[in-house]
Amino acid sequence: MFRRAFWFTTGAAAGVWATNKVHSKLRKLQPDSLAAQAADKAVETGHRLRRFALDVRDGMADREEQLHEALGLTETGAARELPPARRTDALAPHHPPTRITRTTGPNRNEDH
């Protein structure tokens, strides 16, 4: 008799648990609940984007400060002498490109 009562109670508890789970899932899928979830996600995404923008702004300020230090800029805007300009001819090729002109086909024979 004790066994039957145990299994009856276990089955009833499992049924109640499953019923509550199903009802909570159904409540989450109702239009009002879906709209509220979407609004919450949008607000959360907005907060994340704002934090990202603030981080980018802080990073820009740090980098600007590094560049000011590297260039020797002071608070008054005076700059020390800049390093000499790089030679632009260093990027040009040393040898002019060779052109292969073919008056006829690939073997200099007529392909007709």
Side-chain angles (χ1 to χ4, degrees):
M1 183 74 180
F2 179 71
R3 245 179 176 179
R4 286 183 183 171
F6 171 76
W7 286 114
F8 176 78
T9 306
T10 303
V16 168
W17 177 80
T19 303
N20 285 338
K21 264 309 202 194
V22 168
H23 284 299
S24 69
K25 290 291 181 184
L26 288 176
R27 270 186 256 123
K28 285 183 182 179
L29 293 176
Q30 288 180 348
D32 294 341
S33 179
L34 289 175
Q37 288 176 9
D40 291 343
K41 291 288 183 181
V43 168
E44 181 182 339
T45 302
H47 289 304
R48 286 183 181 175
L49 286 173
R50 181 153 197 245
R51 283 193 304 253
F52 175 72
L54 292 174
D55 288 345
V56 168
R57 187 178 295 163
D58 290 342
M60 286 179 6
D62 290 343
R63 182 63 179 148
E64 187 175 351
E65 185 178 322
Q66 291 172 0
L67 290 173
H68 279 263
E69 289 175 8
L71 295 174
L73 298 175
T74 61
E75 292 295 323
T76 59
R80 67 178 184 188
E81 188 176 331
L82 294 175
R86 294 186 206 167
R87 291 180 44 181
T88 57
D89 61 339
L91 299 176
H94 296 293
H95 303 289
T98 58
R99 293 179 119 183
I100 300 174
T101 56
R102 295 184 179 147
T103 56
T104 58
N107 299 348
R108 295 190 181 202
N109 297 331
E110 290 292 328
D111 284 312
H112 304 313

